């Protein structure tokens, strides 16, 4: 059955982005340190068109996180471009160029209506102004039997989590401190909305915690 | 060589105690959930004079945390009793009765001078008003070749960590949310003062992260 999933990298002190996030530096100061564990992996390099790399305990976790995704939901900030209404003549078309790596329907949460955008390789962007439940309903329909990925940012993942709409989350816990920035769980309260830890995979530079409904 | 060590249980969202800490409820609301992983262990039950219990991946971690401790440093709140000056005639003598489980010298950080207190079984409490470095110096001398344990509370552990005086910390990460309370790393900034992850032990209800200087 179709599940709603997200994965996110988080520091030991709970931050998923450093301070000073901006269009130029979407991860914030120091935020790149949350992702360094992935860069040497062959599976990560291959996703980005690079050869070589290594395999370790994280490899199957990353492979699983990429598999069986039929649709993606993301926030407007992750889609990118300047805030506010879309430019009528030359609207921002995302970070990913003519052939984005999704290859399936993507639903972008925004306050500003815009017609759908179809790009190469099977990626379509649909702009949803009716909120998180409407976006998820459209994404579930598009995904069919496959899963829906919440691509982020963290605020979007947290909104779905708090609404009890997440079936699986993978926390990639990185053993470092960021000290400030954006916390995944700020305002999420003291329960995990039915999710519980179902698997722990420890690698040298990251520990993967999978939460799911039993 | 003698090391300064502490261990602490922390929620996935970074809290080491719940909200509403008080003398009656030192762990705060929900804080007991951070320690439930330990209760079924035979090694924990034996420490508290109980028989039976189980062994799992956490057992050697707990055993190691108890071994080779020659002295302990703790804060006044952990020692307990009412805040402010000691009652001159019937001062508080700690939570642990006539024969406390330390069996070695304990140094209590306090703003209120008091003479030493010797109890049964080799436990002595020395009250230190000159700050964390003075307390540590006395504890190191008392410990000799053995290690010094920072027993807490969290604020004391954080002060020593930020001062760069900790050689080893064991974070028992519990896969739950507390939502609010006291955070271990609040105000600790973005670096671990020379500590790095050296070992991860995953059990079903807790993951033990050991940090040390390489």
């Amino acid at each position: 059955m179709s599940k709603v999933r997200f994965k996110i990298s988080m520091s030991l002190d709970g931050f998923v982005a450093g301070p000073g996030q901006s269009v130029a530096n979407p991860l914030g100061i120091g935020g790149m340190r949350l992702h360094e564990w992935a860069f040497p992996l062959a599976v990560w390099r291959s996703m980005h068109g690079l050869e070589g790399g290594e395999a370790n305990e994280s490899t199957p976790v990353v492979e699983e996180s990429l598999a069986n995704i039929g649709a993606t939901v993301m926030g407007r900030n992750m889609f990118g471009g300047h805030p506010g209404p879309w430019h009528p003549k030359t609207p921002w078309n995302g970070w990913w160029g003519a052939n984005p790596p999704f290859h399936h329907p993507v639903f972008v949460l925004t306050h500003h209506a815009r017609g759908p955008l179809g790009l190469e390789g099977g990626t379509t962007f649909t702009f949803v102004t009716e909120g998180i439940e409407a976006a998820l309903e459209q994404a579930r329909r598009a995904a069919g039997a496959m899963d829906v990925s919440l691509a982020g940012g963290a605020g979007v993942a947290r909104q779905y989590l708090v609404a009890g709409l997440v079936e699986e989350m993978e926390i990639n816990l990185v053993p470092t401190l960021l000290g400030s920035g954006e916390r995944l769980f700020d305002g999420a309260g003291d329960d995990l909305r039915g999710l519980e830890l179902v698997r722990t995979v420890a690698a040298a530079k990251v520990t993967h915690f999978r939460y799911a409904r039993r």
Side-chain angles (χ1 to χ4, degrees), chain A residues 25-174:
Chain A
N25 189 8
L27 300 175
I29 296 164
M32 190 63 79
R33 287 161 50 205
L34 301 179
H35 304 278
E36 284 169 355
W37 61 271
F39 301 155
L41 294 173
V43 60
W44 187 91
R45 294 178 56 85
S46 154
M47 274 167 57
H48 294 80
L50 302 168
E51 296 186 358
E54 63 182 50
N56 64 28
E57 297 87 345
S58 297
T59 297
V61 178
V62 173
E63 287 172 344
E64 288 167 23
S65 78
L66 298 170
N68 200 42
I69 303 292
T72 289
V73 175
M74 67 173 63
R76 163 71 188 269
N77 287 340
M78 182 159 177
F79 183 73
H82 294 289
W86 307 100
H87 192 288
K89 289 198 179 153
T90 55
W92 173 260
N93 283 348
W95 302 103
W96 302 277
N99 187 351
F102 301 99
H103 311 298
H104 58 230
V106 178
F107 298 86
V108 180
L109 287 157
T110 171
H111 296 292
H112 302 283
R114 173 174 172 182
L117 169 68
L119 295 177
E120 295 170 23
T123 299
T124 59
F125 291 100
T126 301
F127 301 87
V128 181
T129 57
E130 297 85 11
I132 64 168
E133 303 208 9
L136 180 55
E137 192 185 315
Q138 293 183 55
R140 278 199 197 274
R141 207 178 309 134
M146 299 175 86
D147 294 342
V148 174
S149 166
L150 304 177
V156 168
R158 181 170 51 237
Q159 285 178 61
Y160 281 101
L161 178 66
V162 168
L165 295 171
V166 172
E167 272 98 29
E168 189 178 296
M169 72 175 178
E170 187 95 37
I171 307 279
N172 304 312
L173 195 85
V174 180

